[in-house]
Each structure stands twice: as structure tokens, then as C-alpha cells.
Amino acid sequence: NLDSLEWITTEIWPKVHEIMPHLEFHIYGSKIGINSFHRPDLNVFVKGKMKNLRSLGKYRLLLSPLRYGAGIKGKISDAWLYGLPVLTT
């Protein structure tokens, strides 16, 4: 959800980037405008819709901040299916 992306890109990721500037944060989603969250200066890249879930295998961690709501989101179970660890709230 957009609230979670706003929170992680403005409050959390800058702190992570300060400590580990080599890390990249790739954002996938079909309804995310590139100008909203794309921050190359912080290694934050909006990628658009993930065309193939097998692409999850090239990543080391799925960040899934959930600030409200309940239940396990589909992206979390998809990550587990491909052996990707998940960090969520």
C-alpha cells in the first residue's frame, strides 16, 4: 500500500542507506508511479509490475511493511514459495 511505501522510503530506507549505501531497494507494483518513490540518490528504484514471480529468486530479502490491515499478503507467501526471507511489520 502507498502509505507503507511512503513510510519506508522517507523514514526507514534513508537510515538503512546511511549505514549500508551499497544496498538497493527495488519497488514492484502495477499501480506505482515512478516519480512517486524513485530515488536513485538513495538506491530506490521503481520497477513496475513484476512480470514473473521467479524473478524473486534473484533477491536476498522481501521488505513488506504493513502499517494497517490484517492477514498475510500474497507477496509474502510468494516470497516464501521461492525461498526468499521476508522482513515485515
Side-chain angles (χ1 to χ4, degrees):
N1 76 36
L2 296 178
D3 173 73
S4 295
L5 277 175
E6 179 71 30
W7 177 68
I8 199 165
T9 56
T10 60
E11 300 295 324
I12 304 301
W13 191 256
K15 295 171 185 172
V16 171
H17 181 73
E18 187 177 311
I19 296 167
M20 295 178 277
H22 62 283
L23 295 182
E24 294 183 358
F25 181 28
H26 295 188
I27 300 170
Y28 285 90
S30 60
K31 296 181 171 89
I32 301 169
I34 191 166
N35 295 328
S36 302
F37 301 103
H38 194 73
R39 295 280 313 272
D41 58 312
L42 294 175
N43 289 343
V44 176
F45 304 101
V46 176
K47 301 292 203 169
K49 183 177 179 176
M50 183 173 279
K51 294 179 175 84
N52 188 331
L53 288 178
R54 281 178 274 175
S55 298
L56 287 170
K58 70 180 182 179
Y59 293 102
R60 294 183 160 217
L61 179 70
L62 176 85
L63 294 177
S64 182
L66 304 172
R67 301 212 334 145
Y68 53 85
I72 294 178
K73 298 294 183 187
K75 62 185 152 206
I76 293 174
S77 56
D78 290 339
W80 289 340
L81 180 65
Y82 288 95
L84 189 62
V86 175
L87 178 62
T88 188
T89 51

